[in-house]
Amino acid sequence: MVTFQVSITSKDMFDYNVYHNYRNFQGIISLILGIVMLVVSFMAFRADGNISYILITGFLGLFFTVITPMRIYFKSVQQVKLTPSFQKPIQYTLSEEELIIEQDGAKAVLPFSEMYKAVDTGKSIVLYVSSLRAYIFPKRELGELQQQVVGIIKNSGIKKMKL
């Protein structure tokens, strides 16, 4: 059993949202499309192409490669500011069978059997309960407990794991 506290920052939320956005088919396609549009725009510019064509393809390229990540960042900042549960640290306790979540005297127990996926985003360990609901454990918050947390999760029986 291991107990630790987590404070979610906008950087943690941004890391989670980028991972969540670009690890699916739609996210990968949008990134590829953005790069292709930038290349097409550059090639049309070099060939003295139609200015409206250059501007449209350039805008689409920038939208998918620059504006989308900026939108995700600002969404993450707003999400952390407006979600009351992110305003105070959350205490997690991991045992062999369950995850216990405590904050402000409230307590929730979630068996590992109700979780379907655990992933390592590079900066966080994320436990998914559904495709839209997850628990984020930033590695900077875990510190020396990271290996112990990962070990418990690996032995938890969660079906999908990318740790």
Side-chain angles (χ1 to χ4, degrees):
M1 185 179 296
V2 63
T3 300
F4 54 93
Q5 281 195 341
V6 168
S7 295
I8 300 295
T9 66
S10 56
K11 287 181 182 181
D12 300 325
M13 189 57 64
F14 177 69
D15 175 60
Y16 167 77
N17 285 331
V18 165
Y19 182 88
H20 190 72
N21 191 61
Y22 289 111
R23 292 293 177 159
N24 60 43
F25 182 74
Q26 180 183 0
I28 293 168
I29 292 298
S30 71
L31 186 60
I32 292 170
L33 181 65
I35 292 168
V36 167
M37 288 291 116
L38 287 174
V39 169
V40 167
S41 179
F42 180 73
M43 290 173 62
F45 178 76
R46 299 263 311 179
D48 293 327
N50 183 333
I51 191 72
S52 60
Y53 182 75
I54 294 168
L55 290 175
I56 290 170
T57 56
F59 173 76
L60 288 173
L62 288 175
F63 178 79
F64 289 117
T65 58
V66 176
I67 296 171
T68 298
M70 286 175 54
R71 182 184 54 80
I72 292 171
Y73 176 75
F74 290 118
K75 175 186 166 192
S76 299
V77 169
Q78 186 177 22
Q79 192 173 2
V80 169
K81 278 185 182 177
L82 298 178
T83 305
S85 62
F86 293 144
Q87 303 308 312
K88 296 179 182 175
I90 304 166
Q91 181 173 307
Y92 294 103
T93 302
L94 288 170
S95 71
E96 297 299 321
E97 306 85 31
E98 61 195 10
L99 171 66
I100 301 168
I101 305 113
E102 296 178 84
Q103 187 180 42
D104 285 339
K107 183 177 180 178
V109 178
L110 188 63
F112 283 122
S113 60
E114 292 185 19
M115 296 181 200
Y116 83 96
K117 185 164 78 170
V119 298
D120 183 340
T121 68
K123 294 182 181 178
S124 301
I125 305 296
V126 181
L127 295 178
Y128 285 88
V129 179
S130 70
S131 61
L132 299 175
R133 186 171 155 224
Y135 294 98
I136 304 167
F137 308 145
K139 289 181 179 179
R140 65 173 171 68
E141 295 275 332
L142 294 176
E144 296 175 3
L145 297 174
Q146 181 179 335
Q147 294 302 321
Q148 194 175 357
V149 167
V150 169
I152 291 172
I153 293 170
K154 283 184 176 181
N155 294 324
S156 67
I158 297 174
K159 291 175 179 56
K160 289 183 178 181
M161 259 191 241
K162 294 179 184 175
L163 297 175

